[in-house]
Amino acid sequence: MEYVETGKKRIRTAILLSIIPGLGQIYNKQLFKGIAFLIIFALFIIEMFNFGIGALNGLITLGSTPGADHSLFILIEGSLQLLILLLFILFYVINLNDARKVARLWAEGKKVNTSLKSVLLNMVDRGFPYLFTIPAYVAMLFAIVFPVLVTIFIAFTNYDFYHIPPAKLIDWVGFENFSNIFFLSSYRDTFFAVFGWTVIWTLAATTLQIVIGIFTAIVLNQKFIKFKRVFGIIFLLPWAVPAFITIMSFSNMFNDSIGAINTQVIPLIDALIPFVELQSLPWKTDPFFTKIAIILIQGWLGFPFIYVLVSGILQSIPEEQYEAARIDGAGVIQRFKHITMPAIFTIAAPIFITQYTGNFNNFSMIYLFNEGGPGSIGAGAGSTDILISWIYKLTTGTSPQYSIASAVTLFISLFVIMISLIVFKKTKAFEMED
Amino acid sequence: MANMLKSQKTSRIISKFFTYFYLILLAVIIIYPLLITASSAFKAGNVTAFNLNFDAEWTLANFSRLFTETLYGSWYMNTLIIALVTMVVQVTVITLAGYTYSRYRFVGRKKSLMFFLIIQMVPTTAALTAFYVMALLLGALDQSWFLMFLYIGGGIPMNTWLMKGYFDTIPYDLDESAKLDGAGHFRIFAQIVLPLVKPMIAVQSLWAFMTPFGEYMLAKFLLRTPENYTVAIGLQTFINNPQNQKVALFAAGAILIAIPITILFFMLQKHFVAGLTSGGTKG
């Protein structure tokens, strides 16, 4: 009984002392670790007083004197400080946990590493996984997490071409950008038009490439086919050649007056197929035909990936399954429905989803083919712009709307994450081993 | 009976006919645009549009014009440097991380794996304004190192996930027996497991290498002076206006990019499926 009491007391003391990181560790007789924790704590305090408090305060005000205070840099410094603060909180929690754990080891009379050598050895051994993952985390922190944080902040400011620091200050405006997008008629109409087309484009183009991909894989998987390798190589070409090259080539081919489609392909179709009389089509000047063209081109560009994936899956389906089904009297369609399709979808469904989210943000296809045009539908967007290319135009145009662009970026991110989460949950990608 | 056999035979012939018809049609649709683009590179005179026309006068002059009259040489070098750095750094980072997530059970593993899975859904390229502001602060506008950094960081979550999936397919017994023989962390990683994931490393290297060659938006957004362009934005200046007489140069420049990349692609192609399915489907 007494043992339990002193044990509990020990743990409580260690945790209480660890309110100043390091002291709990020293109390646990881990001198080296304690000093290391104390140093980290001291560095953080010094950093806070010299830079941190000012930076966090700046994040609230975003500067007060136009010309002298550069609101953007104040915003960035504040965000950076917020990140440092979060990392420190993480460290603090680890510190408390460590003090409690080691104190419990003492209380239970288990062996505790106290000498410098054994602590270091233990750190190398147990720290190995952290050592190996730190580079990935540092890169993601600065290339993804930090930009996302800055985007979130800017979406709540009035950063646009009227407010370019350092001449002007930037201010917090709350949800104004979001309410503009959803309620102010000039932005609202554009936003819903662009969003609607983005969804249609994503569904049509991706489904097309998946259908062609699966169909081609199944056709080419038949046993009797000669020159299988030749066809296989040809069908991979659209994936192998960098997409920007082919999109630019197609952009030239679909030129209304001189492009190969109007001058060669359509006359050829007219000549080959009786009773068909196609005219030259306004591919680049009529939004409807531009939309048709980019969906078809994306089918051309995207099907090889699906075809390769599905071919691999088809070859892994055991022949006996089909034999057994045939003996049971299943027809071609039934075999396809009950053996082939399930096999494809259980393996490839998550990858199909990445194809949909990829096309949702397929900037190159939209922008390189016709720069989002033809024409304009207001607020800087062209008639075939999708959300990502609209963001690009809002950011790079002659009168940039950075804050609106950031708000749309947030919308895209949330939308894509939500869809992916729903589907990943359904396809059980979240269920992990162990 | 004979009738039935006969009808079966005809239906088989019909199905064969449609199979080959489809395959050949698809092959033509794929080859046609590539062929007319490639052939334009060798045409003399002013080419304004790609088409199937073999009466032209053939020449190699477009290739020499590319290097003497335009900045194509510097664009190619810029892209090559960005691509190599991106490839080496990214593949190193994701190999280390993928190995760790596959082989070690440590505090925070599950949570951070979840973090990887969610963060790879964030369409980072959309954060243009944030990149712009960061570049302003760092003086990194028009600098290729910032672009490399974004390429490296942006690809990490998804590729670490795929890498981990591939490491998972290597049997654990191997490391267990090496551990019994007294091999340390580094020995097991470098000498036992690493050689077995070479195919996946090759595939990931190719993808990381190809990104800077194909990526347009970030490069166009961040690189401002023509000398610093990558090939994608450089070549676009040749073709966005057919009147400026550089369409044939575009074709020539495109060939010099497409051929090496396509060759690399076909060399590694047999590893693609394993790489894709092993990581994409399970945790």
Side-chain angles (χ1 to χ4, degrees), chain A residues 36 45 53-54 77 123 130 145 169 192 220 227 237 243 247 254 289 305-306 311 315 323 346 372 396 398 412 429-430:
Chain A
I45 296 291
I53 293 174
E77 281 164 6
M123 235 168 72
Y130 300 101
V145 178
L169 290 175
F192 283 106
L220 200 58
F227 308 115
L237 283 172
I247 298 171
F254 278 89
F289 285 104
F305 176 82
I306 306 288
S311 294
Q315 277 152 27
E323 280 305 323
T346 40
T396 56
T398 46
I412 290 188
F430 272 124

Side-chain angles (χ1 to χ4, degrees), chain A residues 291-357:
Chain A
K291 287 176 179 178
I292 296 288
I294 48 186
I295 290 171
L296 290 177
I297 296 169
Q298 185 56 38
W300 188 95
L301 273 174
F303 92 87
F305 176 82
I306 306 288
Y307 147 74
V308 169
L309 185 68
V310 174
S311 294
I313 296 170
L314 289 180
Q315 277 152 27
S316 71
I317 302 176
E319 190 57 34
E320 296 86 64
Q321 267 189 39
Y322 287 109
E323 280 305 323
R326 201 172 298 152
I327 290 165
D328 289 346
V332 178
I333 292 170
Q334 273 182 314
R335 269 176 277 156
F336 177 74
K337 214 171 130 187
H338 294 289
I339 301 175
T340 316
M341 281 325 261
I344 294 173
F345 275 94
T346 40
I347 299 182
I351 302 173
F352 288 168
I353 294 311
T354 61
Q355 295 289 296
Y356 280 96
T357 52

Side-chain angles (χ1 to χ4, degrees), chain B:
Chain B
M1 194 67 196
N3 246 346
M4 217 172 115
L5 270 180
K6 202 177 169 191
S7 82
Q8 231 172 27
K9 210 173 169 189
T10 24
S11 87
R12 204 167 293 158
I13 288 173
I14 290 173
S15 113
K16 262 190 187 181
F17 171 77
F18 277 109
T19 297
Y20 279 113
F21 179 77
Y22 173 75
L23 292 176
I24 290 169
L25 181 70
L26 189 62
V28 168
I29 293 174
I30 287 168
I31 290 174
Y32 175 72
L34 298 174
L35 182 70
I36 62 175
T37 306
S39 66
S40 301
F42 301 96
K43 287 182 184 170
N46 180 24
V47 178
T48 53
F50 304 131
N51 51 39
L52 204 60
N53 168 17
F54 292 104
D55 313 329
E57 191 186 324
W58 302 100
T59 171
L60 287 173
N62 292 322
F63 290 92
S64 60
R65 270 181 70 201
L66 206 53
F67 288 95
T68 51
E69 292 172 25
T70 74
L71 291 166
Y72 185 77
S74 0
W75 299 339
Y76 211 102
M77 274 314 285
N78 294 340
T79 318
L80 211 55
I81 292 169
I82 296 176
L84 284 173
V85 174
T86 305
M87 178 182 87
V88 171
V89 178
Q90 189 183 90
V91 172
T92 310
V93 171
I94 64 168
T95 307
L96 294 178
Y99 174 73
T100 311
Y101 282 113
S102 170
R103 286 319 205 244
Y104 289 90
R105 298 292 175 268
F106 52 94
V107 182
R109 173 177 178 274
K110 261 194 162 167
K111 284 202 183 77
S112 57
L113 264 179
M114 199 69 107
F115 174 74
F116 271 79
L117 197 64
I118 291 174
I119 206 167
Q120 62 94 4
M121 298 168 193
V122 180
T124 38
T125 46
L128 282 180
T129 303
F131 295 146
Y132 176 69
V133 175
M134 284 167 75
L136 274 184
L137 185 73
L138 294 166
L141 267 186
D142 210 16
Q143 302 280 324
S144 57
W145 68 262
F146 191 64
L147 198 59
M148 287 179 213
F149 170 71
L150 293 182
Y151 288 154
I152 293 168
I156 284 177
M158 181 70 187
N159 294 330
T160 301
W161 191 255
L162 290 174
M163 207 70 196
K164 174 200 168 285
Y166 199 86
F167 272 113
D168 283 343
T169 63
I170 311 291
Y172 288 65
D173 321 1
L174 284 173
D175 355 359
E176 289 301 326
S177 55
K179 206 178 275 172
L180 289 180
D181 291 346
H185 293 290
F186 270 107
R187 277 271 309 277
I188 297 175
F189 169 65
Q191 291 181 4
I192 314 282
V193 188
L194 203 56
L196 296 173
V197 294
K198 267 188 198 152
M200 186 62 174
I201 291 183
V203 170
Q204 291 284 357
S205 302
L206 176 69
W207 286 342
F209 185 79
M210 278 171 78
T211 308
F213 274 93
E215 202 280 330
Y216 180 86
M217 185 169 76
L218 286 178
K220 172 80 179 170
F221 182 65
L222 292 169
L223 303 175
R224 307 289 165 108
T225 46
E227 285 79 8
N228 294 335
Y229 282 179
T230 60
V231 279
I233 31 180
L235 284 184
Q236 209 237 350
T237 62
F238 291 172
I239 198 166
N240 58 359
N241 179 6
Q243 261 69 53
N244 66 8
Q245 315 223 337
K246 283 185 175 155
V247 172
L249 292 186
F250 166 86
I255 284 184
L256 294 183
I257 300 163
I259 286 182
I261 287 195
T262 307
I263 291 173
L264 282 175
F265 188 92
F266 281 109
M267 278 165 58
L268 297 172
Q269 173 246 328
K270 64 174 191 287
H271 302 305
F272 284 178
V273 177
L276 282 171
T277 47
S278 64
T281 50
K282 56 177 191 160

